[in-house]
Amino acid sequence: MATPAQRLRAIHLYRNSLKHMLSWAIRREVFYVEAEKIRAEFDANAGLDDPRQIERALVRGETKYGEYTHPDPYIVPYRPGGSMYARNPPFPQDIHIHLDFGREGGH
């Protein structure tokens, strides 16, 4: 029986593996094939009962996940680090906008 911490680690590993696969396989038909392979690896270890065996399987999975890290991962454009994030940032507080063009000096 897996401990709650091991169960949570397995869930996070599976979810992060699928998210990370999007950096390698942009086309959906390729992604679906790779996602099935990832699911098959998790299903192969689903019957483990001994916490030590589960721990070893998790360590192997986390190591494999680390080996397949993408050098330039895909970031959703509107998330921090994406190409659209903070595209139009607010003006700094020390810049004032004058709407009376040509009369800024109070003339």
Side-chain angles (χ1 to χ4, degrees):
M1 186 76 176
T3 64
Q6 288 175 332
R7 179 170 156 51
L8 192 60
R9 277 176 59 199
I11 291 169
H12 285 171
L13 180 61
Y14 179 68
R15 183 180 169 128
N16 289 337
S17 297
L18 289 178
K19 285 183 176 182
H20 186 69
M21 182 52 64
L22 285 171
S23 294
W24 289 103
I26 302 294
R27 295 177 52 199
R28 287 295 175 175
E29 58 271 7
V30 176
F31 171 77
Y32 292 144
V33 171
E34 295 300 321
E36 288 176 8
K37 290 178 186 176
I38 292 172
R39 181 63 188 204
E41 289 184 43
F42 276 85
D43 286 342
N45 293 319
L48 297 178
D49 289 332
D50 183 26
R52 290 182 302 245
Q53 289 179 340
I54 295 170
E55 184 65 30
R56 282 194 292 269
L58 284 172
V59 169
R60 279 195 315 267
E62 290 167 347
T63 304
K64 188 173 182 179
Y65 174 77
E67 290 173 0
Y68 285 99
T69 10
H70 196 280
D72 186 20
Y74 176 74
I75 301 172
V76 179
Y78 53 83
R79 300 294 295 169
S83 61
M84 290 177 53
Y85 182 72
R87 179 163 294 175
N88 297 318
F91 290 107
Q93 295 296 325
D94 58 340
I95 296 178
H96 301 287
I97 299 174
H98 297 282
L99 298 179
D100 52 349
F101 301 106
R103 296 183 299 241
E104 290 87 359
H107 302 329

